Amino acid sequence: AQKITQTQPGMFVQEKEAVTLDCTYDTSDQSYGLFWYKQPSSGEMIFLIYQGSYDEQNATEGRYSLNFQKARKSANLVISASQLGDSAMYFCAMRELYNFNKFYFGSGTKLNVKP
Amino acid sequence: NAGVTQTPKFQVLKTGQSMTLQCAQDMNHNSMYWYRQDPGMGLRLIYYSASEGTTDKGEVPNGYNVSRLNKREFSLRLESAAPSQTSVYFCASSEGLAAGELFFGEGSRLTVL
């Protein structure tokens, strides 16, 4: 079974608008971590934000926030005030505590920001 | 501040040839990983090493071998390359904590003809 599902292969957003990238995950573990990475066209993987399964508050990092709904097993990334430089692939990932040496990645969402 | 360094950046092989991808990290991380990235499939784990001296298979280990030479270095070897191994390969490292994110190398683009 897929551990991480990203159902939006591609998305468009107008510059300065907010956008939500969807991510659902599958785990029976109670302790896990959720991550988002950005991959621009240059190819490097850039860590954006982290949410722990026991964190009560949604994580925020600048214009990035993580909408964590534990009961629904979703960890959506919200980018506020989109910029042209946000155009990239975005990957959701999970790390389970019982086997925290394994990271599971989704298939990614390609975000295009239109001027 | 090098982080994770992998070499080579690009390589073209013929079917049946062998090669080794090298990876080194300078962050004193215990865990190291090799992923491959193919279009539409995200990143898939090939092998990982939880600590020096240990290695374990990931999702797609067939056709690959690894060596954790020391705490810093983790190499990936293709003994007999196949066209299906054409991909972008990423080495990564992390602390052995649930909250520790992966730090990635810049990637190695491998083409097998």
Side-chain angles (χ1 to χ4, degrees):
Chain A
Q2 285 271 58
K3 287 281 190 180
I4 297 286
T5 302
Q6 294 180 253
T7 58
Q8 306 154 313
M11 289 189 70
F12 286 90
V13 65
Q14 202 69 38
E15 192 178 10
K16 299 181 185 177
E17 291 185 349
V19 63
T20 298
L21 306 184
D22 294 341
C23 172
T24 57
Y25 59 91
D26 180 28
T27 182
S28 56
D29 201 26
Q30 294 302 308
S31 298
Y32 49 89
L34 297 158
F35 304 79
W36 277 91
Y37 285 83
K38 173 184 179 181
Q39 186 179 41
S41 58
S42 50
E44 73 268 31
M45 295 289 288
I46 302 168
F47 166 70
L48 295 178
I49 196 167
Y50 164 80
Q51 177 85 42
S53 59
Y54 290 117
D55 294 341
E56 294 185 354
Q57 301 277 356
N58 285 341
T60 61
E61 289 287 347
R63 294 186 298 109
Y64 304 109
S65 61
L66 201 152
N67 184 0
F68 180 46
Q69 298 185 45
K70 194 170 182 176
R72 297 180 62 183
K73 293 188 176 179
S74 74
N76 298 338
L77 177 70
V78 180
I79 305 174
S80 62
S82 297
Q83 301 172 357
L84 295 178
D86 293 334
S87 293
M89 281 289 288
Y90 289 82
F91 292 97
C92 179
M94 177 178 66
R95 190 181 199 183
E96 294 169 323
L97 182 62
Y98 83 94
N99 189 7
F100 55 77
N101 289 301
K102 283 188 177 179
F103 280 79
Y104 301 94
F105 282 83
S107 55
T109 295
K110 179 79 165 75
L111 178 67
N112 286 291
V113 180
K114 297 186 292 184
Chain B
N1 191 7
V4 179
T5 303
Q6 56 181 107
T7 57
K9 298 286 192 293
F10 301 93
Q11 184 74 48
V12 178
L13 292 175
K14 294 180 179 178
T15 297
Q17 288 185 319
S18 62
M19 76 157 297
T20 300
L21 295 171
Q22 308 284 357
C23 176
Q25 52 93 8
D26 63 2
M27 294 172 283
N28 203 36
H29 286 162
N30 284 315
S31 301
M32 296 187 73
Y33 308 79
W34 277 105
Y35 285 90
R36 60 177 289 173
Q37 183 178 22
D38 302 294
M41 302 192 73
L43 281 82
R44 292 183 292 169
L45 182 63
I46 305 170
Y47 270 93
Y48 66 98
S49 171
S51 61
E52 184 179 352
T54 69
T55 61
D56 283 287
K57 296 178 180 179
E59 301 169 75
V60 288
N62 292 343
Y64 305 95
N65 286 303
V66 291
S67 296
R68 183 74 182 266
L69 304 171
N70 48 55
K71 192 170 185 179
R72 289 187 65 247
E73 298 173 288
F74 188 39
S75 63
L76 178 72
R77 182 161 178 83
L78 287 69
E79 291 290 353
S80 179
S84 61
Q85 294 177 305
T86 293
S87 188
V88 178
Y89 291 84
F90 284 96
C91 178
S93 71
S94 76
E95 297 176 348
L97 301 170
E101 74 266 30
L102 282 173
F103 292 82
F104 284 89
E106 294 182 339
S108 299
R109 184 173 294 275
L110 175 65
T111 301
V112 183
L113 303 175

